[in-house]
Amino acid sequence: MGRIAITTWCQERIRQFMPEPLVCIDATAGKGRDTLFLCEITPDDGHILAMDIQEEAIKQAKERIRRAGYESKVEFVLDGHEHMDHYMTDSVDLIMFNLGYLPGGDHKKATSYPTTIEAVKKGLALLKAGGLMTLMIYSGGDSGFEEREALLPFLQDLDSQDFTVIVESFYNKPNTPPLPVYILKH
Ligand code: SAH
């Protein structure tokens, strides 16, 4: 096996843990790369809620999905993921968070831990038993360390009766690489 991008690694894990999710949330649509990945792995009657607080992100993500011909599967919402429970009441199979800032966008409009933690709590409540949540946690550079430092203890405190939390580390990668996290709901 050669080099592998961390985001690709995370997607491979998802394929392994949950090969065909029906109802998904992309909690940080950004440029829509994860939204597109979710379109590819869901069946024809799959449903994906894609959220972002930036109009520019929703625009780019929408365009990517339109070009790939998946418009009918995705509901785009310009709102914070901490309000995901306003848009999704069903039991959800898979929720993806790709934290930090929009590449090429405003680094100040990044995710921040108070709303991220609120959204993770809501997401875990929406997940069905057997469901999966993934988080890609960025740190260092403009992202700083605050969000990671707040999230890790929160994740460690999740009740092991209810959830399995796996944190993977790209151990020898320089410059504080992103941390992929997988939360499996029992
Ligand atoms: N998954 C994307 C990258 C995400 S970047 C891709 O593959 O391209 C992180 C995104 O989170 C940014 O677009 C930012 O606008 C968004 N964001 C920041 N705070 C948010 C919040 N409270 N709710 C939803 N999205 C948020």
Side-chain angles (χ1 to χ4, degrees), residues 59-174:
K59 204 176 120 197
Q60 288 189 36
K62 246 189 199 163
E63 180 56 19
R64 188 184 295 270
I65 297 310
R66 191 193 60 75
R67 270 189 274 122
Y70 286 121
E71 287 140 301
S72 61
K73 278 190 184 181
V74 187
E75 177 192 351
F76 288 97
V77 171
L78 179 67
D79 197 357
H81 42 220
E82 62 278 16
H83 304 133
M84 62 169 74
D85 54 325
H86 299 182
Y87 306 95
M88 196 66 105
T89 47
D90 275 358
S91 56
V92 180
D93 295 289
L94 172 61
I95 305 178
M96 292 182 81
F97 285 83
N98 193 345
L99 302 175
Y101 52 79
L102 181 66
D106 185 347
H107 292 197
K108 292 192 200 73
K109 293 195 176 131
T111 55
S112 72
Y113 74 87
T115 42
T116 305
I117 289 180
E118 194 184 338
V120 169
K121 284 185 185 163
K122 288 191 171 170
L124 291 176
L126 287 173
L127 274 187
K128 68 179 189 193
L132 170 67
M133 178 184 290
T134 67
L135 304 168
M136 190 63 82
I137 308 177
Y138 290 81
S139 60
D142 282 355
S143 296
F145 291 92
E146 236 186 3
E147 188 168 42
R148 188 177 84 168
E149 296 314 312
L151 270 170
L152 287 176
F154 165 79
L155 295 171
Q156 194 163 37
D157 279 348
L158 286 175
D159 193 332
S160 61
Q161 292 294 320
D162 301 327
F163 302 101
T164 297
V165 182
I166 300 167
V167 180
E168 291 185 315
S169 159
F170 279 65
Y171 207 46
N172 71 336
K173 200 169 164 64

